Amino acid sequence: MRRPIIAGNWKMNNTIADTKTLINDLKPLVKDAQCDVVICVPYTDLATAVAETKGSNIKVGSENVHWAEKGAFTGEISAKMLVELGVEYAIVGHSERRQYFGETDQTVNARTKAALAAGLKPIVCVGELLEEREAGKTEEVVVRQTTEAFKDIPDDELVNIVIAYEPVWAIGTGKTATSQDANDTIKIIRDTMANLYCPKCAENKVRIQYGGSMNPKNATELMAMPQIDGGLIGGASLKAEDFSKVVNF
Ligand code: PEP
């Protein structure tokens, strides 16, 4: 019932020339994908990515979006500016933003609302740190992050939002959560959404990805889990062949 969605997160990688090459290598490899395919790219690559993906089944996302419509926010980019470029998705609250750039549950909520208001589809990231996991706090952390991120967001917007469960200790480390662990934590997030909205909303409308060292070797097993609706892919999204293998899980 929930259409899978695989999204790449290029992070701070790829020049405009790299963007052209990667997308044109990717297009034929993912053209028959049975899922939504998204690439989230640096701001400087967005216009090129939109142009190069035109007419294909690849959608383009940004890696962040500001909460204000406009104003004195040097270095920031608004949702309206992204929509104007033809961007459809925006990652919000990635753990690297939380860790290095002071992102909080409150700013994640503000960015999510601004994205939705402008017609962008946010990919909202939640996930526990290694020390939180070791202290048995995974559930507490993901419930809090999810609850705060969705504050004041009406249920008719749920179809426009994707949640990415990304255990921070699994990002870029080569360590993947076991498929059972990922499934169990995503179930906790779905139950949280059921409590915040309604069980049917959580079951039918909310797509939840797994992210954290997902690659061609583990994608099939992760995607076979009943709660996992897709993946947010960092490292493996930088090579067309690897990303296409995940997309064609
Ligand atoms: C990410 O950046 O969201 C991510 C999951 O990275 P990686 O796949 O490299 O762990």
Side-chain angles (χ1 to χ4, degrees), residues 9 11 94 96 166 170-174 211-214 232-236:
N9 172 18
K11 312 195 187 201
H94 190 278
E96 286 150 20
E166 299 208 303
I171 298 177
T173 58
S213 299
M214 196 163 162
L232 184 55
I233 322 297

